[in-house]
Amino acid sequence: MSKPTPEVYEQGKGMDAHNQVMREIRSRKEASYDPHEPTRVWLDEDNTPTGVKNSLTIILNTGGCRWARAGGCTMCGYVAESVDGGSVSHEALMNQIDVCLEHESENADEPAELIKIYTSGSFLDEREVDAESRRAIAETFADRERIVLESLPDFVDREKIGDFTQYGIDTDIAIGLETATDRVRHDCVNKYFDFADFEDACAEAATADAEAGDDADAGIKAYLLMKPPFLTESEAVEDMIASIERCADVDGCHTVSMNPCNVQRYTMVDELYFNDGYRPPWLWSVAHVLEETADIDAIVVSDPVGHGSDRGPHNCQECDDLVQKAIKDFGLRQDPTVFEQVSCECELTWETVMERERSFNQPLTR
Ligand code: SF4
Ligand SMILES: [Zn+2]
């Protein structure tokens, strides 16, 4: 069994009780992964400030998030995909990139314009991806138009972004902010940083953008968590609308990605779900938030993972695919009329949940 332990960096951050529970839950998993293989790689398309692009999405296996080793976020089971020992060599990281490039050349007609690299942690944390690997990866993708790199806000700085923009690659940093409300981020998600840290990271990106001049753009993509544990459906919706509005107001943040919570193994959310204390959000809630925020000054997208299943965002099963399709269409076209074409009897149940669910009786429905 692996034993997650907090290191000095993480001590004193987050809620002790949450961290203790999460450490215990995570220690139950037993898995190890080959550091020469990426966790996952696939081709898809995504909306960017310069239009919809073909994209190569890579989940690099970097040894996992240091915050997860301290206990970490209540909904996140991604550390189960990382490597024992906690660090991956330069050579192994570059092997992973080669595997991804091979996957692309075998499955796509031409190289993707957009590259997205997630690490289940922070690409810009040099304990996960050292400076040498970061620069070599920038060079590898120098001929692409745009790159998205996942990072916690603490590790975002203008020089690291400059490693990419110097090649003329438009660079976005994807930050798992989860919510703009510090209380919800700390107490429900157990994520240790504040909205102010997110604003600082946006300022770093804005500076990198100015330094890159006309050669390249740099900006922030905020990832928000729709329905963290302990919130009712209506509280989650209200918090999400407010969060999207606050993010869009921050200079440097041009895109918001709303991720409906799904129940991952080895998490506190999984324990709550198992004990009838958590239901993932309704897809109606996701659609409602997108409609309500359609006219704000940022791109808002959502790609619900595991939609229609009991452990993922869902409605009544009958309408899940239809509503999911409308949500994805909205992401590409930003046109709220896509939701006018979907309706289902279960909307009434959702409206009742929005009205009647309280923290003491949640979840009101399955
Ligand atoms: S959500 Fe991100 S910060 Fe939180 S434990 Fe998972 S990988 Fe780490
Ligand atoms: Zn339905």
Side-chain angles (χ1 to χ4, degrees):
M1 263 191 205
S2 58
K3 284 196 189 56
T5 48
E7 310 219 356
V8 178
Y9 183 85
E10 292 81 13
Q11 273 168 13
K13 291 178 172 160
M15 197 190 274
D16 285 348
H18 278 343
N19 279 332
Q20 219 168 10
V21 171
M22 281 302 296
R23 278 209 295 278
E24 197 279 318
I25 294 172
R26 284 192 209 282
S27 71
R28 291 179 211 157
K29 72 183 189 300
E30 284 190 61
S32 62
Y33 294 85
D34 181 352
H36 299 272
E37 293 279 336
T39 302
R40 270 186 79 197
V41 53
W42 72 93
L43 294 157
D44 60 5
E45 53 179 21
D46 203 358
N47 202 346
T48 75
T50 52
V52 176
K53 309 276 174 203
N54 286 328
S55 110
L56 174 68
T57 305
I58 297 168
I59 304 198
L60 266 193
N61 189 352
T62 61
C65 167
R66 53 166 88 188
W67 181 232
R69 277 197 286 275
C73 306
T74 52
M75 76 306 182
C76 171
Y78 287 136
V79 77
E81 288 167 355
S82 59
V83 198
D84 280 351
S87 87
V88 176
S89 69
H90 170 69
E91 189 209 354
L93 282 174
M94 297 318 288
N95 290 343
Q96 293 185 35
I97 295 291
D98 289 342
V99 172
C100 297
L101 290 171
E102 255 166 56
H103 175 87
E104 181 183 45
S105 64
E106 279 164 18
N107 295 286
D109 301 333
E110 51 187 1
E113 300 154 293
L114 172 67
I115 305 292
K116 295 189 281 183
I117 307 183
Y118 303 95
T119 70
S120 307
S122 294
F123 182 89
L124 299 180
D125 177 356
E126 294 193 344
R127 199 171 73 173
E128 285 186 50
V129 178
D130 58 72
E132 183 190 7
S133 308
R134 182 177 67 241
R135 290 181 191 130
I137 290 171
E139 206 182 333
T140 304
F141 294 118
D143 59 338
R144 311 297 175 115
E145 247 177 61
R146 187 170 210 104
I147 197 161
V148 177
L149 305 166
E150 178 188 27
S151 181
L152 285 164
D154 334 16
F155 307 108
V156 177
D157 81 40
R158 60 196 79 174
E159 282 92 25
K160 291 178 191 165
I161 298 174
D163 287 342
F164 293 84
T165 51
Q166 63 164 331
Y167 293 109
I169 319 171
D170 294 335
T171 306
D172 295 323
I173 309 302
I175 297 181
L177 174 67
E178 318 304 359
T179 162
T181 315
D182 287 339
R183 172 111 200 259
V184 174
R185 189 176 330 94
H186 290 290
D187 294 356
C188 300
V189 185
N190 194 36
K191 205 162 236 190
Y192 61 84
F193 62 83
D194 290 335
F195 190 69
D197 299 312
F198 171 77
E199 290 175 308
D200 289 348
C202 290
E204 283 294 312
T207 307
D209 183 59
E211 283 175 357
D214 293 336
D215 298 343
D217 293 331
I220 299 285
K221 195 172 172 186
Y223 280 66
L224 300 180
L225 178 72
M226 174 65 177
K227 205 175 177 194
F230 313 115
L231 295 188
T232 63
E233 196 79 19
S234 61
E235 287 169 337
V237 165
E238 207 180 300
D239 187 59
M240 182 54 57
I241 293 173
S243 295
I244 292 174
E245 287 168 350
R246 280 185 73 188
C247 288
D249 278 347
V250 182
D251 192 28
C253 174
H254 55 63
T255 303
V256 178
S257 175
M258 163 175 35
N259 299 301
C261 188
N262 62 74
V263 181
Q264 299 178 4
R265 303 263 341 258
Y266 302 112
T267 62
M268 193 185 288
V269 168
D270 190 30
E271 299 263 300
L272 286 167
Y273 168 82
F274 186 73
N275 291 295
D276 297 327
Y278 182 77
R279 182 207 192 275
W282 286 74
L283 289 169
W284 290 128
S285 296
V286 178
H288 176 70
V289 169
L290 292 173
E291 273 184 300
E292 291 292 304
T293 55
D295 54 4
I296 65 157
D297 185 22
I299 299 173
V300 183
V301 297
S302 183
D303 185 4
V305 171
H307 80 278
S309 79
D310 211 38
R311 299 174 73 93
H314 61 277
N315 288 344
C316 70
Q317 292 198 328
E318 294 289 312
C319 64
D320 288 327
D321 284 345
L322 216 64
V323 182
Q324 167 85 356
K325 191 172 173 300
I327 290 169
K328 291 198 74 163
D329 278 358
F330 178 87
L332 297 177
R333 303 187 359 229
Q334 301 287 292
D335 175 4
T337 62
V338 295
F339 298 116
E340 283 167 14
Q341 289 137 36
V342 287
S343 65
C344 180
E345 280 176 7
C346 73
E347 256 179 295
L348 187 61
T349 314
W350 170 72
E351 279 163 15
T352 310
V353 169
M354 287 286 283
E355 207 179 295
R356 304 261 169 96
E357 191 176 71
R358 299 286 179 274
S359 33
F360 61 81
N361 67 12
Q362 67 164 318
L364 206 50
T365 60
R366 297 304 301 171

